C-alpha cells in the first residue's frame, strides 16, 4: 500500500470513477488504465487488494508512475500577440471582464499601433517563423478597417522577413456580414464565435448595448459559417450557475448544425453567476453526461469536436514545454488600443501590470520576471503534486489574481472544474482510442 499511497501523494497516480467505470491515470506518461470500480473505491479507502497493489507495482517496475527529472531552461521568446482592437462593444454581457475597466471606451487601434506591434513581434521572435495574433476586444469588428490594415501589412512583412502570421479573431459575431466572413475565410483567419446556447440561456446575459436579446442576429451570422467552413472556427459558450446544466446548450448548438463547440465555466465573484463548492457535484454529473453524449456524437459524426475533450494522450508536448502554462507575459502579450503591453488581455488597463509599449518595447522587466514565475508549474506549490499538472499546465494567473488575490495561488473551484473536465477528456479519449488497458 505504501507505494500506492506515495504515488497518489506525488500526483503521479490518479484513481477516478467516471460513468461507473474505474480508471488509473499515470500523469508522468499520460497513460490511462481501466480497472474495476471496486478497485478504485478500495484504493481511495486505503485498502487496495493485494492483487491491485501487485499490478501497480508491476506497472511501476516497467517505468510507469515515475517522474523523470526535467531540466528546464527558460528560453521562451515572444511569439503571440492579443491585439485589443478596441475596448468598445455593442453588447453588455454582465460577466464581461472588459466591463468596468474602461467603460467601453470607443478608441480603436490605429494603423501606427498595429505597425509598431508587428515590428515588436518580429524583432522579439528571433528565429521563430510562425507568429500568432488574435484580434480581440471588446468587439474587434468595431475596428474592421484596422483589422484589414493589419492583415494587409502582415502579407508585406511576411515577404520581407520570411515570417508567417497566423490570425484568429474572437467576436460576438453580431456585426459579421457575409462580405466580412468571405474576407476572413479567404485570408485563413480562425474564428472564435461567442454564443451561449439555447435562446433562453444565450439571451440571459448576451444582451446588446440597447438591452435587447441577441440570439437571432448572432445565430444568423454563425450558421452560414458552420455550414460552409469545415475547420477554422469554434463556437465558444460560457456557462454560469444559471445554466449549470449546459449539456442542453451544447446539444442545442449541435442540433443547429454547429460541429465545433467549446463551453467554459464563467469566472465570477457574483454569487448568482459564479460557482461555489456546492455546485461541484452537479457539474461533475453534467460533465459525465456530456462525455457520454460527446462519445455518442463522435461515433456518428467524426467531424464533431468538443474543444476541451481534445486531449492528446499519444503525442503530447515534451515535459519541458509541459512545465509551462499559457505563456502570458513571456511568450504572449496583449496590446491595448493605445499600444500598451500587458501580460494578456485579462491584465489590460491594469497599471500594475503594464510591461511597456509597442513604441518603447519592454520597460518593466520585473513584471516579465513575475510572469516567468507565474507560468512555470514548479512555482506553484499545489500544482507540483497535482495529478492534472501536465494537462492543465498550472492554470490561469489572471483568474488566480481575481479569485484568490494572488497570482501564484490557484483558485480552488477553478481547479476542481478543470480536474473534472480532464477526467471527462481522459474518459472520452480512452473510449475513442482504446488506449492501453490492463484487464483485471
Ligand atoms: S460580447 Fe464580449 S466584449 Fe462584448 S460585452 Fe460581451 S463579453 Fe464583453
Ligand atoms: S492550477 Fe489547479 S488543476 Fe491546474 S495543475 Fe495547478 S493545482 Fe492542478
Ligand atoms: S493568464 Fe489566463 S487569461 Fe491570460 S493568457 Fe494565461 S490562461 Fe489566458
Amino acid at each position: 500500500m505504501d507505494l500506492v499511497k506515495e504515488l497518489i501523494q506525488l500526483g503521479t497516480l490518479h484513481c477516478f470513477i467516471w460513468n461507473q467505470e474505474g480508471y488509473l491515470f499515470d500523469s508522468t506518461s499520460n497513460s490511462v488504465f481501466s480497472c474495476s470500480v471496486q478497485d478504485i473505491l478500495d484504493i481511495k479507502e486505503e485498502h487496495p487488494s493485494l492483487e491491485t497493489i501487485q499490478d501497480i507495482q508491476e506497472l511501476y517496475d516497467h517505468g510507469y508512475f515515475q517522474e523523470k527529472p526535467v531540466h528546464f531552461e527558460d528560453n521562451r521568446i515572444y511569439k503571440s500577440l492579443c491585439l485589443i482592437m478596441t475596448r468598445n462593444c455593442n453588447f453588455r454581457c454582465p460577466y464581461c471582464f472588459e466591463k468596468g475597466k474602461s467603460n467601453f471606451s470607443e478608441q480603436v487601434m490605429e494603423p501606427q499601433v498595429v505597425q509598431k506591434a508587428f515590428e515588436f513581434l518580429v524583432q522579439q521572435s528571433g528565429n521563430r517563423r510562425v507568429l500568432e495574433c488574435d484580434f480581440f476586444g471588446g468587439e474587434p469588428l468595431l475596428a474592421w478597417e484596422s483589422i484589414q490594415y493589419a492583415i494587409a501589412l502582415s502579407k508585406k512583412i511576411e515577404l520581407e522577413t520570411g515570417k508567417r502570421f497566423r490570425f484568429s479573431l474572437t467576436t460576438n459575431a453580431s456585426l459579421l456580414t457575409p462580405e466580412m466572413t468571405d474576407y476572413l475565410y479567404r485570408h485563413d483567419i480562425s474564428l472564435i464565435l461567442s454564443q451561449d446556447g439555447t435562446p433562453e440561456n444565450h439571451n440571459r446575459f448576451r444582451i446588446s448595448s440597447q438591452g435587447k436579446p441577441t440570439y437571432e442576429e448572432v445565430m444568423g451570422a454563425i450558421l452560414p459559417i458552420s455550414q460552409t467552413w469545415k475547420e477554422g472556427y469554434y463556437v465558444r459558450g460560457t456557462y454560469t450557475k444559471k445554466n449549470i446544466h449546459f449539456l442542453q446548450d451544447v446539444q442545442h448548438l449541435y442540433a443547429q448544425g454547429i460541429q465545433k463547440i467549446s463551453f467554459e465555466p464563467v469566472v465570477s465573484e457574483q454569487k448568482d453567476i459564479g460557482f461555489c463548492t456546492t455546485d461541484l457535484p452537479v457539474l461533475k454529473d453534467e460533465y459525465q453526461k456530456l462525455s457520454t453524449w460527446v462519445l455518442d456524437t463522435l461515433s456518428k459524426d467524426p467531424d464533431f469536436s468538443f474543444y476541451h475533450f481534445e486531449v492528446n494522450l499519444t503525442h503530447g508536448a515534451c515535459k519541458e514545454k509541459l512545465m509551462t502554462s499559457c505563456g502570458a507575459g513571456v511568450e504572449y502579450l496583449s496590446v491595448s488600443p493605445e499600444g500598451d503591453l500587458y501580460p494578456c488581455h485579462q491584465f489590460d488597463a491594469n497599471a500594475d501590470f503594464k510591461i511597456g509599449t509597442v513604441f518603447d518595447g519592454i520597460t518593466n522587466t520585473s513584471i516579465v520576471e513575475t510572469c516567468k514565475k507565474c507560468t512555470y508549474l514548479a512555482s506553484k506549490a499545489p500544482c507540483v503534486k497535482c495529478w492534472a499538472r501536465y494537462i492543465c499546465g498550472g492554470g490561469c494567473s489572471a483568474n488566480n489574481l481575481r479569485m484568490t488575490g494572488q497570482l501564484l495561488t490557484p483558485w480552488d473551484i477553478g481547479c476542481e472544474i478543470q480536474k473534472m473536465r480532464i477526467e471527462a477528456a481522459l474518459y472520452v479519449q480512452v473510449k475513442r482510442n482504446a488506449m492501453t488497458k490492463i484487464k483485471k
Side-chain angles (χ1 to χ4, degrees):
M1 177 56 194
D2 285 352
L3 174 71
V4 179
K5 208 169 161 182
E6 194 187 323
L7 296 179
I8 292 173
Q9 280 166 359
L10 287 171
T12 55
L13 167 63
H14 174 59
C15 312
F16 67 103
I17 297 168
W18 200 264
N19 282 340
Q20 288 87 50
E21 292 179 27
Y23 294 99
L24 304 179
F25 174 61
D26 171 18
S27 65
T28 67
S29 66
N30 262 357
S31 304
V32 189
F33 305 94
S34 74
C35 60
S36 74
V37 168
Q38 192 56 50
D39 281 340
I40 300 294
L41 294 174
D42 289 347
I43 293 173
K44 284 185 186 281
E45 283 161 21
E46 300 193 6
H47 296 295
S49 66
L50 205 56
E51 199 196 352
T52 307
I53 295 173
Q54 278 168 353
D55 281 342
I56 293 175
Q57 178 73 55
E58 202 177 306
L59 287 168
Y60 183 80
D61 293 342
H62 280 88
Y64 289 101
F65 309 120
Q66 294 193 36
E67 193 76 83
K68 317 272 181 309
V70 179
H71 175 63
F72 177 72
E73 259 183 66
D74 201 342
N75 297 322
R76 291 177 287 174
I77 50 171
Y78 294 108
K79 58 182 184 185
S80 315
L81 292 179
C82 171
L83 302 169
I84 300 181
M85 302 309 290
T86 177
R87 298 189 183 100
N88 196 9
C89 188
N90 57 332
F91 281 16
R92 291 293 181 272
C93 314
Y95 54 56
C96 180
F97 71 90
E98 199 56 64
K99 199 174 143 209
K101 266 189 212 166
S102 59
N103 207 15
F104 298 101
S105 106
E106 289 184 8
Q107 182 168 355
V108 298
M109 188 178 284
E110 298 295 340
Q112 163 197 26
V113 174
V114 175
Q115 188 183 343
K116 285 286 171 191
F118 285 178
E119 281 172 17
F120 170 85
L121 186 59
V122 167
Q123 189 204 12
Q124 294 280 329
S125 57
N127 291 333
R128 190 185 163 89
R129 184 162 175 262
V130 178
L131 310 175
E132 289 149 8
C133 292
D134 186 36
F135 297 116
F136 203 79
E139 174 44 55
L141 293 179
L142 288 168
W144 180 240
E145 282 181 16
S146 295
I147 288 173
Q148 288 175 292
Y149 172 81
I151 293 169
L153 180 63
S154 73
K155 303 287 170 211
K156 192 165 163 271
I157 297 173
E158 284 179 351
L159 286 175
E160 287 166 3
T161 62
K163 302 262 184 191
R164 171 94 175 83
F165 280 79
R166 260 199 218 134
F167 290 103
S168 56
L169 183 143
T170 303
T171 173
N172 66 32
S174 64
L175 300 172
L176 267 177
T177 62
E179 293 72 30
M180 284 174 173
T181 305
D182 180 54
Y183 175 91
L184 294 166
Y185 184 77
R186 280 189 286 109
H187 289 87
D188 200 17
I189 315 296
S190 304
L191 298 180
I192 298 116
L193 306 154
S194 303
Q195 203 284 357
D196 284 358
T198 63
E200 186 193 359
N201 288 333
H202 178 91
N203 287 333
R204 181 180 296 115
F205 294 131
R206 299 197 73 80
I207 46 176
S208 74
S209 50
Q210 288 86 38
K212 301 234 169 71
T214 62
Y215 177 89
E216 295 298 336
E217 61 190 294
V218 168
M219 288 304 267
I222 288 178
L223 291 183
I225 295 170
S226 66
Q227 283 153 12
T228 49
W229 296 32
K230 216 171 157 44
E231 299 287 338
Y233 80 93
Y234 261 96
V235 173
R236 183 170 67 190
T238 300
Y239 66 82
T240 72
K241 208 185 185 88
K242 300 277 187 198
N243 62 328
I244 195 163
H245 298 291
F246 65 97
L247 169 58
Q248 59 172 307
D249 297 297
V250 179
Q251 289 171 329
H252 173 78
L253 293 179
Y254 185 69
Q256 309 304 305
I258 296 167
Q259 289 173 299
K260 310 291 178 196
I261 302 173
S262 150
F263 252 80
E264 301 199 31
V266 74
V267 177
S268 174
E269 311 79 353
Q270 297 176 52
K271 290 206 165 21
D272 56 334
I273 295 181
F275 295 105
C276 58
T277 319
T278 52
D279 296 320
L280 294 174
V282 185
L283 275 175
K284 182 157 185 179
D285 189 49
E286 199 63 14
Y287 271 109
Q288 299 210 25
K289 288 182 190 146
L290 175 64
S291 60
T292 303
W293 181 81
V294 165
L295 272 175
D296 184 48
T297 307
L298 279 168
S299 69
K300 295 179 245 169
D301 177 2
D303 290 334
F304 170 69
S305 166
F306 185 76
Y307 182 77
H308 289 289
F309 290 172
E310 299 288 333
V311 175
N312 189 338
L313 294 180
T314 41
H315 298 101
C318 61
K319 276 272 151 58
E320 286 83 346
K321 174 75 193 135
L322 296 176
M323 290 300 288
T324 60
S325 61
C326 62
V330 188
E331 294 174 301
Y332 171 83
L333 290 169
S334 74
V335 183
S336 77
E338 306 81 23
D340 294 339
L341 299 169
Y342 295 92
C344 82
H345 58 284
Q346 293 244 40
F347 293 95
D348 176 52
N350 183 338
D352 292 343
F353 287 92
K354 183 171 158 184
I355 283 182
T357 73
V358 293
F359 304 101
D360 304 325
I362 307 282
T363 49
N364 196 334
T365 50
S366 72
I367 298 174
V368 178
E369 290 309 311
T370 304
C371 290
K372 282 187 179 169
K373 226 172 144 189
C374 291
T375 54
Y376 180 53
L377 208 64
S379 310
K380 287 170 269 193
C383 302
V384 173
K385 292 185 178 170
C386 172
W387 65 266
R389 59 192 178 279
Y390 296 127
I391 298 179
C392 166
C396 168
S397 312
N399 289 349
N400 293 348
L401 185 65
R402 179 169 170 183
M403 303 305 284
T404 71
Q406 301 291 328
L407 289 165
L408 293 172
T409 306
W411 170 44
D412 54 354
I413 304 283
C415 287
E416 290 311 312
I417 299 175
Q418 171 73 316
K419 287 190 270 190
M420 68 177 74
R421 197 159 69 174
I422 292 174
E423 286 180 351
L426 293 175
Y427 170 81
V428 168
Q429 295 306 326
V430 165
K431 291 281 180 190
R432 243 179 125 179
N433 302 335
M435 289 289 299
T436 321
K437 239 179 177 182
I438 48 168
K439 196 158 168 35
K440 305 210 70 197

